[in-house]
Amino acid sequence: MAENWADLPQELLETCSRQLLLDDWFAFRSVCSTWRAAAFEERVDVPWLMLADDERTETEHAELYSLFSLRTHKVALPEVKGTRRFSSRGWILTVGTDLEVRMLKPLSRSGAVAAGRDIVKLPRLDELPGWDPESYIPGRAYADFVDKFVLSASPASSPDYMVMVLYSPYGKLGIWKPGNEEWKKLTRPGNAVLDVIHYKGQFLAVNTPGDIFACDVDGPDPTAQYILKKPPEIREDGFMQLYLVESEGRLLLVSRLGQQGGSDDDDDEELNGEDCKTNEFQVFAVDLEARKWTKLESLGNASLFVGFNSSFSVQVDENQHAIEPNCIYFTDDCPLMYIFTKDGGGKDMGIYHMEDGRIGSFYDGISRHPISPPIWIEPSS
């Protein structure tokens, strides 16, 4: 029998570490050097996938899937249960059936789980400009009102951060700054907005045709102005979703193409009701100064992560063997269809290989939800 805890058999310690919640795993590793060495290996500096809620259980734990260990971890996050959620810069924005809007950080910068801490309360959903109380059905209508959430900086590192949300109908933009008691609507020209990014000190947005415009959020009446028309090579056949991503200092426009629709009687088993199925991606580098586009055939050692979250890139090195380079990792992003499908969103996920257009899988399980499909959690810098 071991005389002290540090002398317990390594095999026993490793087995115990695999049974723990993620926050307890961090605590386990901090006991002593022996326990740290015995704990199964995991990394928090790679993207994580937050899985959809399991509506069959009443647990207050969220599930995070690790691309590194290919394990699913439970994390105590009662604040996210039953909410519609989005992510940006490692933070989660939740929209509840009570119309409350909150931000929280599931993983702290040091790697420790911050459940119950680092929670920021924002103005309610019904305080967004354009909210129609007549259309609100308690417990449901909020589901398709907010479509995306983008931070200018992490609240953990900058007190001057801003929050921008993309919301319905017709792709509107709302802005909030700490200390403000209400959202401000940004007046945008023309078509609905599909995605937003904070790039080199300003918010940029892309609309449904693929035009880029800059957002002026400093004045009393935030506005947006066109700066670049869509790429001439962009295709618009079938389902198309557009993303703005920063990669190695460059601004990229990513076009996601696929099928949408079908019926339960279709021969294509990949489509069910109004499900979406991604077939291809196009990537364009944006030169804002020269006002031109360059179509990219390769991302080099970078990989992109797109979906219901704000988009981001990861530089893949020899220590990040869990992530494949020159790929686009995507989660479901056909939000308006979710409430009409049998099982909700979460089916259209995979890895797109830029080299040959092949689509593979990164998660073999089933994770679907009508209002809150799986999202990427960006690693903290």
Side-chain angles (χ1 to χ4, degrees):
M1 180 178 294
E3 294 185 0
N4 58 64
W5 293 108
D7 294 331
L8 289 172
Q10 292 285 296
E11 295 82 1
L12 176 60
L13 290 172
E14 180 180 355
T15 300
C16 291
S17 74
R18 292 182 180 276
Q19 308 305 313
L20 299 173
L21 297 176
L22 189 57
D23 41 356
D24 294 330
W25 176 81
F26 284 114
F28 181 96
R29 295 175 75 247
S30 67
V31 171
C32 64
S33 59
T34 301
W35 284 36
R36 183 182 184 91
F40 74 90
E41 190 175 5
E42 188 60 273
R43 290 179 59 169
V44 295
D45 60 344
V46 297
W48 289 62
L49 183 71
M50 175 172 276
L51 300 175
D53 276 345
D54 186 345
E55 296 183 292
R56 297 168 299 179
T57 68
E58 297 297 326
T59 178
E60 294 188 338
H61 295 97
E63 292 187 323
L64 296 180
Y65 178 74
S66 167
L67 288 180
F68 178 77
S69 66
L70 306 182
R71 290 176 57 87
T72 298
H73 298 275
K74 290 185 177 181
V75 180
L77 286 173
E79 299 85 3
V80 308
K81 183 66 178 179
T83 65
R84 180 168 168 89
R85 44 193 183 248
F86 311 85
S87 71
S88 180
R89 299 185 185 273
W91 287 69
I92 296 173
L93 181 134
T94 66
V95 180
T97 55
D98 56 0
L99 306 182
E100 295 289 343
V101 182
R102 296 179 176 87
M103 286 194 309
L104 62 138
K105 195 164 173 41
L107 299 176
S108 76
R109 299 171 68 187
S110 63
V113 173
R117 305 191 302 274
D118 296 335
I119 299 177
V120 180
K121 187 174 181 179
L122 283 70
R124 287 167 52 90
L125 185 65
D126 54 356
E127 294 175 6
L128 271 166
W131 173 264
D132 181 8
E134 297 296 326
S135 66
Y136 174 58
I137 303 174
R140 176 169 180 177
Y142 76 95
D144 59 354
F145 195 68
V146 175
D147 298 320
K148 194 143 291 190
F149 146 68
V150 178
L151 280 165
S152 63
S154 170
S157 60
S158 173
D160 298 322
Y161 71 92
M162 292 176 284
V163 176
M164 184 169 280
V165 292
L166 171 61
Y167 67 100
S168 300
Y170 314 122
K172 299 174 183 176
L173 291 172
I175 188 77
W176 176 82
K177 300 178 182 180
N180 290 358
E181 296 183 358
E182 60 183 18
W183 297 93
K184 287 187 177 181
K185 179 183 176 182
L186 186 141
T187 303
R188 52 129 176 99
N191 302 87
V193 177
L194 288 180
D195 199 19
V196 184
I197 189 174
H198 192 265
Y199 176 74
K200 293 188 176 180
Q202 65 177 337
F203 283 104
L204 301 175
V206 60
N207 62 13
T208 47
D211 303 326
I212 305 283
F213 53 90
C215 306
D216 180 1
V217 299
D218 294 326
D221 298 308
T223 58
Q225 188 173 37
Y226 279 119
I227 55 176
L228 186 60
K229 292 293 183 180
K230 68 178 182 179
E233 298 177 82
I234 197 169
R235 297 203 308 275
E236 302 179 28
D237 49 311
F239 161 71
M240 182 178 73
Q241 177 68 31
L242 299 175
Y243 307 94
L244 293 172
V245 193
E246 181 176 0
S247 180
E248 293 187 290
R250 294 188 302 179
L251 179 63
L252 306 181
L253 174 68
V254 179
S255 173
R256 176 177 180 172
L257 301 167
Q259 298 171 264
Q260 176 179 310
S263 69
D264 293 336
D265 296 326
D266 283 350
D267 293 333
D268 186 353
E269 295 182 357
E270 294 298 319
L271 291 175
N272 175 23
E274 294 294 333
D275 284 340
C276 302
K277 180 183 178 183
T278 299
N279 295 328
E280 183 184 355
F281 283 86
Q282 290 181 293
V283 181
F284 302 88
V286 188
D287 188 331
L288 296 177
E289 293 185 3
R291 304 294 173 94
K292 68 176 185 180
W293 303 92
T294 303
K295 187 177 180 181
L296 300 183
E297 302 298 335
S298 173
L299 299 170
N301 288 328
S303 282
L304 311 181
F305 290 77
V306 302
F308 230 37
N309 45 275
S310 64
S311 307
F312 59 91
S313 69
V314 171
Q315 293 301 308
V316 183
D317 57 35
E318 64 274 8
N319 297 319
Q320 289 176 315
H321 57 272
I323 301 173
E324 299 183 55
N326 196 28
C327 291
I328 300 175
Y329 287 71
F330 61 94
T331 58
D332 217 336
D333 198 353
C334 196
L336 294 180
M337 296 298 104
Y338 292 163
I339 59 176
F340 302 113
T341 60
K342 179 180 178 181
D343 300 312
K347 190 174 185 178
D348 187 25
M349 303 195 296
I351 311 171
Y352 179 81
H353 297 261
M354 289 287 291
E355 182 179 6
D356 55 12
R358 176 171 45 93
I359 294 180
S361 174
F362 60 81
Y363 179 70
D364 295 329
I366 297 175
S367 183
R368 304 195 68 178
H369 197 276
I371 62 169
S372 196
I375 56 174
W376 292 115
I377 305 297
E378 183 177 358
S380 299
S381 58

